[in-house]
Amino acid sequence: MQSSVKHNPKLRLSLVALACQVMCLSASVAYAQTDAAPAKPAEVIITGKKLGMGLMVTEDAPKARSTITAEELEKQRPTGNAYEALEMLPAVNSFNQDATGLFGGGLTLRGFNSDQIGATINGVPVNDSGNFAIYPQEYVDQENTCSQFVTQGSTDADSPQVGATGGNFGINTCNPEDKQRVRLMQTIGQLSMKKTFARYDTGLLSDKRTKAFISFSHAEADKWKGKGGAKRDHIDAGLNYDWDRFNYVHATVLYNEAMNNNINNLTLSEINKNGYYYDYADTFKGHLTPVKGTAQTETTQSPAYYKLGVNPFKNAIASATAKFRLADNLDLKVLPYLWYGFGNGGVQQRAQSEKAFYNSATGARDGLVDLNGDGDTLDTVLVANASVTKTYRPGVTSSLLWTVDNHEILGGFWYERARHEQTGPMLALSNDGERADEYLQIGKILRPDGKFAQSRDQLTISTAYQFFLQDTVSFMEDKLKINVGVRNPQVKREFTNFGDENNSYKPYALTKKYNDVLPQLGARYRLTNDDQFFASMAKNVKAPPNFAFANSGNIKVANGVATFVGEVKEESSWNTDIGYRHQDNKFIATVTAFWVDFKDRQATAFDPLTQVSTYNNVGRVKNNGLEFELGNMPINGWSFYASLGFNNSKIQDNMQLGSNVFLPTAGKEMINTPRRKAGLSVEYQDGAFWARLKARATGVQQTSMVNDEQAPGYTTFGIDGGYTFANFGMFKRPKLTFNLSNITDKQYRNASSTTVKNTLAIPGVTTAVDTQRYYLGAPRFASVTLSIDL
C-alpha cells in the first residue's frame, strides 16, 4: 500500500503547557549542573557592524565574502541547518528536504555543487574524505553557532582542502559565556516536531582564565509525506583557557547521532503519475513461502518499504585551537583535530542470489548459502543491505603569523590522514521487513568461507597535506591592501578493493597522487572611509572522488594489476572577482562581478536506489555573473536586506560517451545553476517585539546536461517574529519566537543529482537515458520556540 495521501497536520500549541515543560526542564538542569568544556576559535567574524540585522557585516577582505551572524541565526527555526542559514545570499542556491532541516538537503554556490565547496567548522575540514560531500544537518546546534561565512570565489590560503574548486564556507561556534548561565529552549511545531535544548555555561572560574560550556539537544519530527520521521541527539561542548588575548587554548567537541527515514525523491514521471505526496511504501511485501527444490526469485520492492529507507549516522568532531605569542610580532597557531563518522544511507534492500556469494580464492561469485532455510540454494532472497561508511580522520594545521613593517606574512602546513572504510553488509529480513540492526552490524550474513558477505568492501587511505604562504601588504596608510598567496595541496589515495558480491575481480590495489600549485592574488582599495574596490584571482583544484577508483567503468584489472581506463583527472578552476563595497554606519551595499573557468569539471553522484556511484568528466565550463547585496541599520525600527544574483553557466565541450561518440552538451547550462536568484527580508523591531517577512526567488534550473529537463522557477515566503519578556524571578530573558515557512504552500522542486546527462534518447547518439530525481519543497510549516535563561 503506497502512501500518496496528502498529510495536513494542524498546529496544536498550548503556551501554558509549553511554559510548564520548559520550567520543569529548567529545574532539573539547574540542580544537575555539569562541569564540561566549550570553545570557540579566535576567528569569530562578528566584529563588524551588523547590517541587515545579522544578514550582513562590514567586510574588508580583498575578495568576495559574505557573513551572517548569531543575530540572524537566532531568528531562524532552531532545527535549521547550515544550508538553510545561507539561503538568502545571492550566490547560494540551497534547498532542504523538509521544513525542519533535520533531513538535510543540497546547495550550489555560483553553480558549484556542495562537493566542490570547501567546508570547515572552527577551522576543521568536514567534507567527506572520499567523495567531498557535505551533510549540513550533522555538525552543530544552531543555538551554538555564532557566525557562518562564505568566500564565493576561492578558498582561503590556509584552508585545509584538496577538494574545493568553488570557494568555501565556514561555521564558527560560540565561545563559552563569561558569566554562569543555564539556557533552556523548547520548540514545538507541526508534524509532531519538537526540539529540546539545554546549555550550561560555567562562567569564568576562579582563575579568571578558564570557562566552559556543554549543551544537549534532542529533536524529532514526522516526515511531511508518508510514514517515518527524523530523530537527532546532539552534544556540543567547549573549553576556553586564556592566559591573555595573545595566548590561549580553545577546544570543542561536537557529537551527533541521528536516525532518519528517507523522503522519497521522485522522478518527474512519478510526480505526474502519482502526485506530489507519493512516498515509500507503508508495508513490506514479505517473502515467498520457501519450497525445497523449487527456484524462487524475490525482487526488490518499488517503492521500497519506508522502514528500509533510512539514514542512521553517528559523527564527532574534536578540535583545539592553540595560539601563542612568540614575540611582539610573531604568533604561532596550532589546530589539531579528529573527525569520526559511522553510518549508512540509501535503501536497505537487496535481492541476493543464494548461489552468487563471493569466493575470495578465485574471485568468482559462485559460493552457496541457503538464505531462506528451505534446504536448497536455488533461490534469490530479499536481504537488508546498504553502503556503510566508517571514517577516522586525524589532522593538524599549524601556522606562523609574522608582522613586520607593513607586511602580515602567514605561512604554515596542514596534514591529515583519513581512513575511509566502505562496506556493504547483508542482514536477514523478517517477513514484516525488520532486521536485527539499522546500522547493519549485528547478525551479518556469512559467506561459505565464514567471512561477511558484502555488496562492497573497500578501503581508502587518503593522505593529504599542503604548505601555504601568504603576504598581506598595506600601503598608503591602509588605503591599499594587496594579498599574495600560494598553496600546494597534495593528496595520495591508496585504494584497496577486497572483492565483494558485486565484483567479479580478485582483490586489487591502486594508488594515485594528485598535487598542484595554486596561486592567489587579491587587492582592496579604499576610495573613502566608506567606499572600497576589491579584486581577486585564484586557482583551485579538486582531486577525483575515491569511488572513481572502484569497479565503475573507470578501472580495468589484468593479471591482478589495476589501472585506469583513460585518465581520471583532477578538476581545476580559475576564479576572478571584481567588486565594490559601500559601508557606512547606516547602510551597506556590495556589487560583485565574477568569472569562473573550469577545466575537467567533475560531475559525480551516488544513486541511493541503485547504490551506484558515477563519475563523469564534463570538460570545460565557464560561469560569469553579477551579485548584489544591501542592508541597513534600523530606521525607525525598520531594517531591510536584499540580494540579487545573475549567473550565466555554459558547458564548453561535448561530453564523450565512447569512441567517437559525443553527447551534445556544448553551449548548454550546468545543472542546478539558476540564471537568477533573489532574496528580500523586511523587518520591524519595536523594543522587545520584532517581526519580519522573507522572500526568496529562484529562477529556472536545468536538470540534465543536455538541458532536456528543467525545474521551474519558484518563489517562497516566510514570516518570523518574536517577543522578549521582562525578567521574572529566576527566569531571565524569556523569549517567544514564531517561525512560519512557505506560507503560500508552494510546490517546487530541485534536482537531487548534478550528474544526469540526458533524460531523453538522442537519435544517432545514444538510446541510453538517465533519470533525474528531485528534492520536493516542503509544505507550509509553523513552529514556536520558548527560550529562558537561569
Side-chain angles (χ1 to χ4, degrees), residues 314-551:
K314 304 174 184 178
N315 64 286
I317 304 169
S319 67
T321 299
K323 187 176 180 182
F324 306 100
R325 173 141 288 190
L326 306 181
D328 287 344
N329 61 346
L330 184 63
D331 293 294
L332 169 67
K333 185 169 75 171
V334 182
L335 197 169
Y337 62 86
L338 173 65
W339 193 100
Y340 166 78
F342 174 71
N344 65 77
V347 177
Q348 294 184 356
Q349 65 172 2
R350 173 185 173 89
Q352 175 62 37
S353 170
E354 293 181 326
K355 53 186 177 182
F357 284 83
Y358 181 71
N359 185 326
S360 57
T362 64
R365 288 181 290 169
D366 55 10
L368 306 177
V369 176
D370 182 4
L371 294 173
N372 59 4
D374 64 357
D376 66 36
T377 54
L378 304 174
D379 310 318
T380 297
V381 180
L382 271 177
V383 297
N385 165 250
S387 298
V388 175
T389 300
K390 180 186 291 185
T391 302
Y392 291 96
R393 187 179 179 182
V396 63
T397 301
S398 59
S399 62
L400 286 169
L401 180 62
W402 182 36
T403 304
V404 54
D405 297 327
N406 59 335
H407 294 263
E408 284 188 354
I409 301 172
L410 175 70
F413 179 71
W414 165 61
Y415 173 87
E416 76 167 24
R417 185 178 187 272
R419 187 181 190 278
H420 198 69
E421 181 182 356
Q422 297 171 292
T423 58
M426 304 180 198
L427 273 64
L429 276 174
S430 69
N431 211 43
D432 56 0
E434 298 291 342
R435 64 284 192 214
D437 176 23
E438 291 171 312
Y439 281 88
L440 303 182
Q441 299 303 295
I442 300 172
K444 291 187 278 190
I445 293 171
L446 301 178
R447 297 170 184 157
D449 62 5
K451 297 179 180 178
F452 296 129
Q454 308 274 17
S455 61
R456 69 172 179 177
D457 192 1
Q458 305 162 2
L459 175 65
T460 306
I461 304 295
S462 296
T463 304
Y465 64 91
Q466 75 172 359
F467 293 94
F468 54 89
L469 182 64
Q470 175 180 281
D471 186 10
T472 303
V473 193
S474 296
F475 300 97
M476 305 164 61
E477 297 181 338
D478 202 37
K479 288 188 68 174
L480 175 63
K481 180 181 288 186
I482 295 177
N483 179 293
V484 180
V486 64
R487 62 190 187 98
N488 70 324
Q490 306 189 43
V491 61
K492 180 173 73 171
R493 291 212 189 267
E494 300 171 86
F495 179 86
T496 304
N497 191 331
F498 296 102
D500 52 61
E501 272 60 28
N502 280 343
N503 191 344
S504 297
Y505 290 144
K506 291 183 180 180
Y508 68 85
L510 185 61
T511 298
K512 181 74 172 178
K513 295 181 180 179
Y514 297 92
N515 63 83
D516 211 330
V517 177
L518 308 179
Q520 298 184 3
L521 176 63
R524 185 267 295 149
Y525 181 76
R526 286 191 181 135
L527 294 171
T528 70
N529 288 335
D530 299 330
D531 299 276
Q532 59 181 252
F533 286 106
F534 64 90
S536 68
M537 177 179 287
K539 183 182 180 182
N540 300 311
V541 296
K542 174 188 173 185
N546 71 321
F547 59 73
F549 291 64
N551 181 27

Side-chain angles (χ1 to χ4, degrees), residues 76-85 96 99-102 136-137 140-143 148 195 232:
Q76 299 181 5
R77 184 171 288 125
T79 54
N81 60 52
Y83 284 175
E84 186 175 2
N96 282 290
T100 70
L102 294 173
Q137 72 275 24
V140 63
D141 267 331
Q142 192 149 288
E143 296 89 337
Q148 289 185 210
K195 180 178 182 180
R232 177 182 184 267

Side-chain angles (χ1 to χ4, degrees), residues 131-349:
N131 63 10
F132 305 113
I134 303 171
Y135 307 101
Q137 72 275 24
E138 295 178 356
Y139 301 130
V140 63
D141 267 331
Q142 192 149 288
E143 296 89 337
N144 295 326
T145 302
C146 265
S147 69
Q148 289 185 210
F149 69 88
V150 173
T151 56
Q152 292 92 331
S154 63
T155 57
D156 296 322
D158 58 348
S159 184
Q161 305 291 345
V162 293
T165 45
N168 62 287
F169 86 87
I171 297 172
N172 290 311
T173 57
C174 296
N175 278 317
E177 297 290 319
D178 287 338
K179 295 183 178 181
Q180 188 180 49
R181 185 192 70 180
V182 173
R183 170 161 291 178
L184 302 171
M185 297 176 66
Q186 181 66 52
T187 304
I188 61 174
Q190 294 175 273
L191 296 170
S192 303
M193 187 270 274
K194 57 185 176 182
K195 180 178 182 180
T196 302
F197 172 86
R199 169 170 164 154
Y200 170 65
D201 284 84
T202 65
L204 280 170
L205 302 182
S206 57
D207 61 3
K208 300 301 180 183
R209 293 178 175 180
T210 307
K211 56 184 178 178
F213 85 87
I214 187 168
S215 72
F216 304 87
S217 74
H218 171 79
E220 59 183 75
D222 294 338
K223 290 165 51 177
W224 61 268
K225 64 173 182 175
K227 289 187 175 182
K231 291 184 179 180
R232 177 182 184 267
D233 292 291
H234 193 88
I235 300 173
D236 291 336
L239 172 70
N240 281 19
Y241 185 83
D242 296 82
W243 288 273
D244 52 47
R245 64 191 181 97
F246 303 112
N247 299 275
Y248 57 79
V249 176
H250 294 175
T252 55
V253 176
L254 315 175
Y255 176 78
N256 189 80
E257 183 169 347
M259 179 68 70
N260 292 359
N261 292 103
N262 297 332
I263 296 173
N264 197 357
N265 298 330
L266 303 178
T267 67
L268 188 56
S269 61
E270 288 174 335
I271 296 171
N272 293 333
K273 179 181 178 181
N274 301 305
Y276 198 79
Y277 285 78
Y278 186 63
D279 198 59
Y280 289 102
D282 292 351
T283 58
F284 183 59
K285 69 177 186 178
H287 293 291
L288 299 175
T289 302
V291 179
K292 184 177 181 178
T294 300
Q296 297 164 296
T297 301
E298 297 179 356
T299 58
T300 55
Q301 184 174 339
S302 181
Y305 179 38
Y306 81 95
K307 285 189 176 181
L308 299 180
V310 293
N311 178 208
F313 209 83
K314 304 174 184 178
N315 64 286
I317 304 169
S319 67
T321 299
K323 187 176 180 182
F324 306 100
R325 173 141 288 190
L326 306 181
D328 287 344
N329 61 346
L330 184 63
D331 293 294
L332 169 67
K333 185 169 75 171
V334 182
L335 197 169
Y337 62 86
L338 173 65
W339 193 100
Y340 166 78
F342 174 71
N344 65 77
V347 177
Q348 294 184 356
Q349 65 172 2

